[in-house]
C-alpha cells in the first residue's frame, strides 16, 4: 500500500487502469454526435483528468478547444447547496458543442448549474464527462453522458482530487486509510 505524507493510501483506480479507460472514453466521444468540441475543465479537481483526456481526444482524431471554469459549491452534501461562479470561461459558447469535464459527479449540483449556464448562453449541446460517478449521492436531476468509473461511496483523493489541498499529485485514485505509526 503506498504511503504518502505519512498516510496509508489504498489504491482504488491505478494509473494503468485510468489510462486504459481514458482511451476508451475518447473513442466513445469520437463516435458520438458531438462536433467541433469545446471542452471546459471544471477546476480545480478535473485538471489532471482533462490534461490526459484531451491528449486521448487527439489520438482518437478529435481537435478540441479547451477552456477552464472555476465553480465552488458550499454545502454540496446538504439540502441547500449554494453554487458560485469563481472564474468564468473566455470563449463564446453560442452554437458550440460543449463537453464539461469533471472529476467526480456527486450531488450533481455543480454540473447541473454549469450545464444550464452554457445552455442559457446558447450552446448547441452540452455533454458531461466525469472520471468518477458517485451515483448514490445524487441530488440534482442530472446524469453524465460519459463515465470513467462508478465510484464507491468513499472520499477519494489523487489524480487531481484533494483533501485539504493535499494529494492532488498522486497518479492514481485512492482512499486515505490511516496514518503510519
Ligand atoms: P457535486 O456533484 O456538486 O456534489 O460536486 C462534486 C464535486 O465535489 C467534485 O467535482 C469534487 O470536486 C468534489 N468531491 C466530491 N466527492 C469527492 C471526493 O470523494 N474526493 C474529492 N473531491 C470530491
Ligand atoms: Mg470538482
Amino acid at each position: 500500500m503506498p504511503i504518502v505524507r505519512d498516510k496509508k493510501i489504498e489504491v482504488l483506480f491505478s494509473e494503468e487502469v485510468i489510462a486504459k479507460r481514458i482511451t476508451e472514453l475518447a473513442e466513445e466521444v469520437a463516435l458520438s454526435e458531438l462536433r467541433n468540441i469545446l471542452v471546459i475543465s471544471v477546476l480545480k479537481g478535473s485538471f489532471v483528468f482533462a490534461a490526459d483526456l484531451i491528449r486521448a481526444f487527439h489520438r482518437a482524431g478529435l481537435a478540441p478547444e479547451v477552456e477552464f471554469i472555476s465553480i465552488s459549491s458550499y454545502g454540496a452534501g446538504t439540502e441547500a447547496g449554494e453554487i458560485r461562479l469563481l472564474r468564468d470561461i473566455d470563449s463564446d459558447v453560442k452554437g458550440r458543442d460543449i463537453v464539461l469535464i469533471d472529476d467526480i459527479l456527486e450531488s450533481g449540483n455543480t454540473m447541473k448549474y454549469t450545464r444550464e449556464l452554457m445552455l442559457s448562453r446558447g450552446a448547441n449541446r452540452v455533454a458531461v464527462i466525469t472520471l468518477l460517478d458517485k451515483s448514490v449521492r445524487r441530488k440534482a436531476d442530472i446524469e453524465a453522458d460519459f463515465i470513467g468509473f462508478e465510484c464507491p461511496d468513499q472520499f477519494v483523493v489523487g489524480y487531481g482530487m484533494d483533501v485539504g489541498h493535499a494529494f492532488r499529485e498522486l497518479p492514481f485514485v485512492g482512499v486515505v486509510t490511516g496514518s503510519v505509526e
Side-chain angles (χ1 to χ4, degrees), residues 22-80:
I22 286 178
T23 298
E24 293 168 356
L25 283 175
E27 282 160 7
E28 282 178 41
V29 174
L31 289 173
S32 76
E33 60 185 356
L34 298 162
R35 295 288 171 270
N36 187 21
I37 291 169
L38 173 66
V39 305
I40 302 177
S41 165
V42 182
L43 296 173
K44 298 176 184 169
S46 81
F47 78 108
V48 176
F49 177 43
D52 283 343
L53 188 64
I54 59 169
R55 286 175 287 180
F57 277 5
H58 166 73
R59 292 192 294 274
L62 297 170
E65 290 175 28
V66 183
E67 277 281 2
F68 298 91
I69 197 168
S70 183
I71 309 278
S72 84
S73 65
Y74 290 107
T78 69
E79 295 301 310

Side-chain angles (χ1 to χ4, degrees), residues 14-21:
S14 71
E15 203 172 342
E16 294 74 22
V17 162
I18 293 170
K20 182 165 177 288
R21 186 70 190 119

Side-chain angles (χ1 to χ4, degrees), residues 76 102-110 134 154-156 162:
D102 208 357
D103 50 355
I104 301 198
L105 191 62
E106 199 174 88
S107 72
N109 291 332
T110 311
K134 244 189 228 182
Q154 286 174 291
F155 196 86
V156 299
D162 72 309

